[in-house]
Amino acid sequence: MKPHRTDAVSLTFGLLFLVIAGWWAVSQVVTLHLPALGWTVAGGLILFGAVGLLGAISSGRREQPVAAPVAASARVESTPGDLPPEMHASIVQELLDDPATRFESEQKRTEPEAEK
């Protein structure tokens, strides 16, 4: 069976259930007249101490091997669509230009031709 990580929440609730069941069993046999709040605080402190102890014991066992770094291979891709870099740059520049100014400049170029 493959060992797995300890689930702290399940462990805490399991221990809490055992403490409550044990408390009930002891109270059926032994009758002590002590303040309820004092017992609750004492039980809570004992429970927190036990959980802390279990956490300290189990944390020393977790030695996970560090994976060796993997060398990345860098590859430069060619220009998309097999366009020469100059043409690709001009297309990108056209896309970045403001369409309103491009329309005005085209209108100015076509107006003198229309008058001729």
Side-chain angles (χ1 to χ4, degrees):
M1 185 173 183
K2 193 166 110 177
H4 60 280
R5 229 173 30 106
T6 304
D7 184 13
V9 175
S10 298
L11 178 65
T12 303
F13 279 106
L15 288 174
L16 184 63
F17 177 77
L18 285 175
V19 166
I20 292 171
W23 191 336
W24 175 81
V26 169
S27 71
Q28 295 298 315
V29 176
V30 179
T31 304
L32 291 175
H33 296 288
L34 295 173
L37 181 63
W39 275 106
T40 306
V41 170
L45 290 174
I46 291 171
L47 180 68
F48 284 134
V51 170
L53 207 82
L54 288 173
I57 291 171
S58 67
S59 68
R61 296 183 190 170
R62 294 183 191 175
E63 293 181 19
Q64 297 194 6
V66 178
V70 178
S73 60
R75 186 173 64 107
V76 178
E77 294 184 15
S78 63
T79 307
D82 296 331
L83 293 175
E86 297 82 20
M87 184 178 287
H88 183 71
S90 69
I91 292 171
V92 170
Q93 186 60 42
E94 278 184 38
L95 292 172
L96 292 175
D97 286 342
D98 185 24
T101 58
R102 187 173 59 211
F103 181 74
E104 289 174 3
S105 64
E106 287 177 3
Q107 286 297 325
K108 289 178 184 175
R109 273 189 261 146
T110 57
E111 286 177 6
E113 292 175 4
E115 292 175 5
K116 291 182 183 180

